[in-house]
Amino acid sequence: MLTVLSNLVQYYVCRASQKIAAPFWERYGPALCIVTAAILLMVHPTSFLLKDFRFWVPTCKDKWGMRAIYSCTYTGFVSLAYGTIWAAFGGVGIPLDALRQKCLPL
C-alpha cells in the first residue's frame, strides 16, 4: 500500500511540475491532496503493525481510538478521490455536467 501511494504522489508531483504558467494551488493542489491521503491512509495499517509488535495496544482497545483510526482512513479516501478528480478535470470547483460527460458518455 505504501508503494502504491508513494508512486501516486510521485506521479502527481511530476505532472504538476509540467504546468509552468499555472499558479501554485492549481499546479500542486492535487499533489497535496494525494500526499494528505497517503499519510491518512497509512494510519490504519501502521496501527495494525504497532498492535502486532505490542507497541501501541491501548489505542486499539479504546472505542474512541479506533474511531480516530477509521476516521483517518475515510478522510484519506475522500482526499484521494478529490485529488484525483481535481487532477483529471482541473480546477477546484468541478461541474457535475463535465463529470457526467466524461464518466457516462451517452
Side-chain angles (χ1 to χ4, degrees):
M1 183 171 206
L2 179 62
T3 305
V4 171
L5 291 172
S6 64
N7 285 337
L8 271 175
V9 169
Q10 291 174 9
Y11 171 74
Y12 282 109
V13 168
C14 179
R15 188 172 171 181
S17 64
Q18 294 173 356
K19 298 178 185 178
I20 296 172
F24 177 80
W25 286 110
E26 190 176 325
R27 284 173 57 181
Y28 292 106
L32 291 173
C33 284
I34 301 300
V35 167
T36 304
I39 292 168
L40 289 173
L41 287 173
M42 286 308 298
V43 168
H44 204 167
T46 304
S47 70
F48 284 133
L49 284 175
L50 293 174
K51 180 181 168 186
D52 288 344
F53 290 123
R54 293 188 180 102
F55 288 133
W56 197 23
V57 177
T59 304
C60 295
K61 290 182 179 179
D62 185 31
K63 177 175 74 170
W64 289 102
M66 287 307 293
R67 284 184 181 175
I69 290 171
Y70 284 126
S71 67
C72 284
T73 303
Y74 295 138
T75 306
F77 281 131
V78 169
S79 180
L80 182 68
Y82 185 75
T84 304
I85 291 171
W86 186 358
F89 297 107
V92 179
I94 299 161
L96 292 177
D97 294 333
L99 184 64
R100 286 188 191 115
Q101 287 175 354
K102 286 196 175 187
C103 296
L104 300 170
L106 296 178

